[in-house]
Amino acid sequence: MKKIQELVDWIDDELEGAKCYAEKYVYKKAKGSQWAGTFHQMAEDELRHAEAIHQLAVEEIEQLNTVFKAPEEMQAKWDESHKAYVEKAAWIRQMLAM
């Protein structure tokens, strides 16, 4: 399950990048800076990366579930990571909608 943890960490890294760019977007937009659009696009790119990696993780887990049932603890960790992903991505999208 080390592979799944690597994917979760990778998703987190992409979301952190998206959050950073989204915060810069909001700041630059508030100042009327021409850079706001650039940061918006960069945040969108990072979100797309996170979404792609998340989909990869879902597929990996589904594939593993055909071979064996994951222990409850492992499934709980994934469920927690998935919930955090959904919440963080939604928050970032809210910032980008400003």
Side-chain angles (χ1 to χ4, degrees):
M1 300 296 52
K2 185 177 177 182
K3 179 66 175 169
I4 301 303
Q5 185 60 53
E6 288 173 3
L7 292 171
V8 167
D9 292 343
W10 196 9
I11 291 166
D12 289 342
D13 287 344
E14 295 294 333
L15 285 176
E16 188 58 36
K19 179 180 167 228
C20 179
Y21 292 136
E23 288 170 347
K24 287 179 180 6
Y25 157 72
V26 171
Y27 176 75
K28 294 295 186 184
K29 184 175 180 183
K31 291 184 71 173
S33 172
Q34 67 184 20
W35 286 95
T38 301
F39 284 111
H40 187 281
Q41 183 61 47
M42 292 165 70
E44 289 281 352
D45 290 345
E46 295 294 293
L47 271 178
R48 275 192 299 281
H49 299 163
E51 289 168 7
I53 299 162
H54 178 262
Q55 185 58 41
L56 174 62
V58 167
E59 290 174 12
E60 292 275 335
I61 290 167
E62 287 173 356
Q63 193 174 39
L64 287 171
N65 283 337
T66 64
V67 178
F68 69 91
K69 180 163 174 50
E72 283 184 36
E73 180 182 315
M74 190 180 305
Q75 185 63 47
K77 277 186 168 184
W78 168 249
D79 292 343
E80 183 180 316
S81 294
H82 175 73
K83 181 181 175 191
Y85 161 76
V86 170
E87 290 172 356
K88 287 177 188 176
W91 176 247
I92 293 165
R93 285 187 190 94
Q94 265 189 317
M95 283 193 288
L96 294 176
M98 294 180 170

